Amino acid sequence: MKTILVPTDFSTQADNALDMALQVAKINGSKILLINVIEGMRSFSFNTMGELEDSTGEEAYLVKKLVDQTKSNLDDALSNLDTDGVEIEAMVEIGSPYESIAHVITNHDADLVVMWTKGS
C-alpha cells in the first residue's frame, strides 16, 4: 500500500480518520493525500503555482480567498500532527466531493481511502 487518501472537512471525525490513516501509513511506509473539497462552486482553472488562471471578477476573488483559507486550515491541521516521517500532501479541490474524491483516487493511484461517518 503506497498511497492513502483522507478526505477532510476539519471535523473531529475527520481528524480521527487522519489519525487512523497515520497509524496505517507508519506501519506500511505509505504516503497520505489529505484533501478538502470546496463544494457547490463552478470549476476554476489553477496554474502550476496554485493561483487562479482567471483572476478577474468578484467571484474569482472570493474563490481565491476561500481556497487560501482552506489551504491555511490544512496547514494548521498538519502542524498539530506527529507525522513521524510520514509524507503528507495536502490539496484543495473545487466541485462535487464524490467526483473530486474519485478523480484523486484515479489520478494518484490511491490504494486506500480512510473516511469518517457521523449521524445516523
Side-chain angles (χ1 to χ4, degrees):
M1 181 177 342
K2 294 180 181 178
T3 305
I4 301 171
L5 174 63
V6 182
T8 185
D9 63 357
F10 307 108
S11 67
T12 300
Q13 293 83 2
D15 292 343
N16 292 338
L18 180 56
D19 289 340
M20 178 61 70
L22 264 172
Q23 292 176 31
V24 173
K26 287 175 185 178
I27 293 168
N28 294 305
S30 304
K31 170 184 175 178
I32 293 178
L33 297 175
L34 182 64
I35 180 176
N36 178 266
V37 180
I38 299 173
E39 185 176 7
M41 306 185 93
R42 72 177 180 90
S43 181
F44 286 85
S45 298
F46 294 88
N47 65 21
T48 57
M49 299 302 292
E51 299 164 341
L52 286 171
E53 288 285 326
D54 177 18
S55 59
T56 60
E58 186 175 298
E59 185 179 24
Y61 172 78
L62 294 174
V63 169
K64 181 181 180 342
K65 291 299 243 181
L66 185 56
V67 168
D68 289 345
Q69 181 60 53
T70 302
K71 286 180 180 180
S72 177
N73 292 345
L74 286 168
D75 289 342
D76 289 345
L78 294 177
S79 70
N80 297 324
L81 289 177
D82 176 16
T83 60
D84 198 24
V86 173
E87 180 185 352
I88 301 177
E89 179 183 343
M91 58 179 61
V92 178
E93 293 281 324
I94 297 177
S96 158
Y98 307 106
E99 291 174 5
S100 296
I101 290 169
H103 174 78
V104 172
I105 290 169
T106 301
N107 289 344
H108 293 273
D109 296 322
D111 302 300
L112 176 67
V113 178
V114 179
M115 297 177 71
W116 65 100
T117 182
K118 66 179 180 177
S120 54

